[in-house]
Amino acid sequence: MLDTSGGGVDERNVAKAALDAAEEQLQSLCASHAGTFVSVERRGRAMEDALQELQATIKRAEAQVVNAQQALEQDDDKDTSLAVLSEKHRVRRRTLLQHSSLLELLELPSLMDACVRSNLYEEALSIAAFSNTLERRHGDSNDVVKKVILQIRSRQSDLRRHLLHRLKAPVTMPDCLEVVTALRRLNSIDLERQSEANLERVHAAMELRLQVDFLEARDTWLDSTPSFTTGRPSGAAEELLDIIERYRTRYVQRRRGTDCKYSIITLSTYINAFPFLSVFEVATQFNAIFRQQSSKPESTVSLLSLWTSRRIHSFLSLLSLHLASMDDAASLRDALEASVFFASSMGRLGADFTAQLPALFEPKMHALVVAPWKEGSHQLIETLKICADAGISSPLLSHDPEPVGSVLVGLTEPQPPPRVLMSVPPLARFVNSILTGLNELRRCLLPGIFSRLRTSLDELLQGIQVDLQANERSVLTPGLRGDAKGLRAAAEHLQSVFSRIVEPYARGSLEAALGYEARAEHFHQILYKNERGPELVTGVEGVTEEKNDSTEESMIDPTEFDASEDAKQTKTEGFLDRAEVEVASLEGEANVEVDDY
């Protein structure tokens, strides 16, 4: 260093100046970086706080580590032991490896439901059988498996209902066999879960229940109302024939260009249809499916007998209800033929009910024959009453000369209406009503109504005789207004013609319609004598001169006469064909007088 006195530089001053400059520079730097210093200070404080918190956490964790170490060092029997936790971990790892298999197991209920809706019965039954295996292996140890098994059991019930519902629809024999086989497999699956010692009794009860379910399901379909008709108008007769055909057999008709349409086909359309299902076929299916495989065939036969008896009783009740609405013998004959055919079909199963049909058809046939008779009787009585009240006799007697007797055509053959009836129009119309009723017998002749027809005719003729006598007494009353003389003569003439001509002719016509030649010949002899007179009867072959009362001679024992069914039918048709022609002209001429009145 140089001395200041010598003019040199003083190093101390230089250093001080440098120190001052450095101090100023430092202050400048500190002022310019003040924000950095503040940030460093804050981070340092935050670091200190974090370190303190970490130390506190470590201290708290030390106690937990000690507790965990103590727990792991305990016995292996507890759930918190290391061995137990390790085993749970191992099980979870194995479960994770079987993830796809577990998903398939959980999807079994949904898969079975899809099989039921798709009619895949074999697959659905396989799943149901697999549920029994699951229950035996894992049912007591796994809640998930238990829930899956319960859901599969629910689908089994759906499958049973679905199978029974198929039996309530039109099904063929192969379909019935498939459905019953599936139901039997369901029963066997249910039987596997039974723990009873007497499994044979349980199996017999299941089989009986299956038979009852089968018949109930088929009943539901047979009683269902078809949704398709034949497309043509139908009256009471057509409706009854449809019902009979529906009970006897069902039909399905194929139409070109369209799908099959189920419809009821009557007798007139047999050739255009083929059989689909019937009461007879249901019974046949039942026998083929159950009777051959049953250990006790007598119980199966008893159940089938109960079912057929109930179906036949239902059919007869419905038949009786619809017969009341029929109004002609031709329709009644068609219904009878269809019913007899149905009964003969059921006879092959030992359920022939032909013997029960006459009780239904004979009263109706008798009513159809007697109805025109009663109407003619009522018309005759009304005509007599009106003429008596009006005091005129012209409608009762014809002003034309009385025609001669009818031409003899053989006493053993049906006789035409007597021509003498043209002189008495009321009696002519009455005879026309008698023949109209007898015309119904040509279409449907039932032997069971012969005696009732004779009784009804006797009562009718006796009632007419009483009415004619009452009319004669009324016109003989003094002070009768109008044509009293003509009314009295007409009343006497009407009574005479009725007893001599109408009564024997009506009785003979009835016997001829029934086919009893001997009875008809007897009444025709009486008619011929009364019409021609005794002096004209001599020499006629087969006619005696003995004169008897017509009423007394009409009482003949039915056992004295016999005729074959062919003779009855031939005589009936021949008589009615000729009678219709004569009565048509007779009614036309008689109606002229009434119209004039």
Side-chain angles (χ1 to χ4, degrees):
M1 297 179 61
L2 296 178
D3 189 7
T4 54
S5 59
V9 178
D10 190 357
E11 293 182 359
R12 288 182 296 180
N13 294 331
V14 173
K16 184 176 180 182
L19 181 62
D20 295 338
E23 183 70 22
E24 292 177 359
Q25 187 178 2
L26 178 62
Q27 291 178 359
S28 176
L29 290 173
C30 289
S32 60
H33 294 85
T36 303
F37 295 139
V38 173
S39 298
V40 171
E41 184 67 21
R42 290 178 180 175
R43 290 177 182 176
R45 291 293 181 88
M47 184 68 70
E48 289 179 359
D49 295 340
L51 288 175
Q52 292 177 0
E53 184 179 358
L54 178 61
Q55 289 177 355
T57 302
I58 291 174
K59 290 180 180 180
R60 290 194 301 269
E62 288 178 356
Q64 295 179 0
V65 170
V66 173
N67 294 334
Q69 186 175 3
Q70 293 177 356
L72 293 175
E73 291 175 355
Q74 292 176 357
D75 297 335
D76 295 339
D77 297 338
K78 295 184 178 181
D79 296 338
T80 59
S81 64
L82 181 61
V84 173
L85 294 175
S86 177
E87 180 65 20
K88 289 182 178 180
H89 178 68
R90 185 179 64 82
V91 170
R92 289 188 179 93
R93 286 183 61 86
R94 290 183 59 185
T95 302
L96 183 62
L97 294 176
Q98 300 295 331
H99 178 71
S100 60
S101 300
L102 291 175
L103 287 180
E104 293 178 358
L105 177 65
L106 295 175
E107 289 176 355
L108 284 179
S110 301
L111 179 61
M112 185 174 179
D113 182 64
C115 292
V116 171
R117 287 186 280 105
S118 302
N119 296 335
L120 301 176
Y121 303 133
E122 292 295 331
E123 290 76 5
L125 291 171
S126 300
I127 296 174
F130 180 69
S131 67
N132 288 344
T133 304
L134 286 177
E135 187 175 17
R136 287 193 301 267
R137 294 180 180 178
H138 312 287
D140 298 334
S141 59
N142 195 306
D143 294 337
V144 176
V145 175
K146 287 182 180 180
K147 293 181 180 180
V148 171
I149 293 174
L150 290 177
Q151 293 178 1
I152 293 177
R153 295 285 182 265
S154 176
R155 300 304 188 276
Q156 280 185 236
S157 301
D158 296 340
L159 175 60
R160 186 180 298 276
R161 286 192 296 269
H162 181 78
L163 291 171
L164 293 176
H165 182 73
R166 278 202 62 187
L167 292 176
K168 298 177 182 179
V171 289
T172 58
M173 179 65 185
D175 294 334
C176 283
L177 188 58
E178 179 187 5
V179 171
V180 173
T181 302
L183 288 172
R184 280 176 170 161
R185 286 192 59 185
L186 270 179
N187 289 340
S188 65
I189 293 172
D190 294 337
L191 194 62
E192 289 180 3
R193 307 199 312 269
Q194 300 294 331
S195 59
E196 289 82 355
N198 194 354
L199 293 179
E200 293 183 359
R201 181 180 300 176
V202 177
H203 178 267
M206 287 182 174
E207 186 69 14
L208 180 61
R209 182 60 193 174
L210 177 59
Q211 296 174 10
V212 173
D213 291 340
F214 177 84
L215 293 177
E216 287 180 351
R218 305 313 292 146
D219 265 342
T220 302
W221 178 71
L222 290 174
D223 293 335
S224 63
T225 302
S227 58
F228 298 95
T229 59
T230 55
R232 52 189 175 85
S234 60
E238 291 294 336
E239 181 181 358
L240 179 58
L241 290 178
D242 289 346
I243 291 173
I244 296 173
E245 282 306 300
R246 179 176 159 207
Y247 264 83
R248 192 195 68 82
T249 183
R250 283 290 191 103
Y251 290 94
V252 57
Q253 187 177 13
R254 296 190 181 275
R255 301 177 182 177
R256 295 182 179 179
T258 59
D259 296 334
C260 292
K261 300 293 185 181
Y262 295 102
S263 60
I264 300 177
I265 309 299
T266 58
L267 289 171
S268 60
T269 53
Y270 262 163
I271 196 169
N272 295 325
F274 59 91
F276 197 80
L277 189 65
S278 66
V279 174
F280 171 75
E281 290 180 355
V282 169
T284 304
Q285 291 170 356
F286 183 87
N287 278 333
I289 295 174
F290 296 102
R291 188 174 181 181
Q292 300 298 331
Q293 303 179 9
S294 176
S295 59
K296 296 181 179 180
E298 60 276 4
S299 62
T300 302
V301 174
S302 177
L303 182 62
L304 181 61
S305 300
L306 291 175
W307 181 80
T308 53
S309 299
R310 184 171 59 83
R311 296 302 309 181
I312 291 174
H313 177 73
S314 175
F315 168 74
L316 293 177
S317 300
L318 192 61
L319 180 63
S320 176
L321 179 64
H322 283 78
L323 282 178
S325 60
M326 303 189 72
D327 54 358
D328 63 287
S331 301
L332 189 69
R333 178 196 59 199
D334 294 339
L336 178 60
E337 291 177 353
S339 300
V340 170
F341 183 61
F342 178 30
S344 63
S345 298
M346 297 301 296
R348 284 179 280 178
L349 298 173
D352 191 353
F353 58 95
T354 306
Q356 301 183 33
L357 295 178
L360 300 178
F361 284 89
E362 288 178 356
K364 183 60 180 179
M365 187 63 214
H366 176 265
L368 290 177
V369 176
V370 175
W373 297 359
K374 293 181 178 180
E375 183 179 356
S377 173
H378 178 73
Q379 184 179 6
L380 174 61
I381 295 172
E382 288 295 325
T383 301
L384 295 177
K385 182 178 179 181
I386 291 173
C387 291
D389 293 341
I392 57 175
S393 61
S394 57
L396 302 178
L397 297 175
S398 175
H399 298 288
D400 297 334
E402 184 173 331
V404 298
S406 303
V407 180
L408 182 64
V409 295
L411 297 179
T412 59
E413 299 180 4
Q415 301 294 313
R419 304 291 294 178
V420 70
L421 293 177
M422 296 180 63
S423 63
V424 279
L427 293 181
R429 287 190 292 271
F430 174 71
V431 171
N432 185 48
S433 66
I434 295 292
L435 297 179
T436 301
L438 295 179
N439 282 335
E440 301 292 338
L441 293 177
R442 181 176 59 181
R443 300 177 177 89
C444 185
L445 184 61
L446 301 178
I449 64 173
F450 287 2
S451 60
R452 279 184 283 182
L453 286 177
R454 293 191 183 100
T455 302
S456 299
L457 184 61
D458 291 341
E459 295 176 354
L460 180 70
L461 295 178
Q462 291 175 6
I464 294 296
Q465 185 69 37
V466 171
D467 292 332
L468 291 176
Q469 293 175 0
N471 177 67
E472 185 178 9
R473 288 193 300 269
S474 64
V475 298
L476 291 176
T477 304
L480 181 66
R481 65 176 183 176
D483 188 7
K485 182 178 180 180
L487 287 174
R488 291 164 184 167
E492 181 180 1
H493 185 64
L494 285 172
Q495 191 170 357
S496 174
V497 173
F498 180 81
S499 59
R500 290 186 305 105
I501 305 299
V502 175
E503 187 170 354
Y505 178 74
R507 296 180 187 275
S509 300
L510 175 61
E511 298 301 333
L514 299 181
Y516 289 95
E517 295 181 357
R519 285 175 175 268
E521 181 181 0
H522 170 73
F523 289 113
H524 291 162
Q525 289 176 357
I526 299 174
L527 172 65
Y528 193 71
K529 286 192 301 182
N530 294 339
E531 188 177 7
R532 295 295 183 94
E535 66 281 358
L536 298 178
V537 180
T538 305
V540 178
E541 181 181 359
V543 181
T544 62
E545 294 293 336
E546 183 180 359
K547 186 178 183 63
N548 298 318
D549 183 76
S550 61
T551 305
E552 294 177 356
E553 293 185 5
S554 64
M555 304 303 294
I556 302 177
D557 187 5
T559 59
E560 296 179 1
F561 307 97
D562 187 16
S564 64
E565 293 297 329
D566 294 338
K568 292 179 182 180
Q569 188 69 17
T570 302
K571 288 295 182 180
T572 302
E573 294 182 358
F575 162 72
L576 295 172
D577 287 339
R578 297 178 57 184
E580 283 184 350
V581 177
E582 296 292 337
V583 172
S585 61
L586 182 63
E587 184 184 16
E589 297 180 11
N591 285 336
V592 173
E593 299 294 337
V594 179
D595 294 339
D596 292 341
Y597 162 68

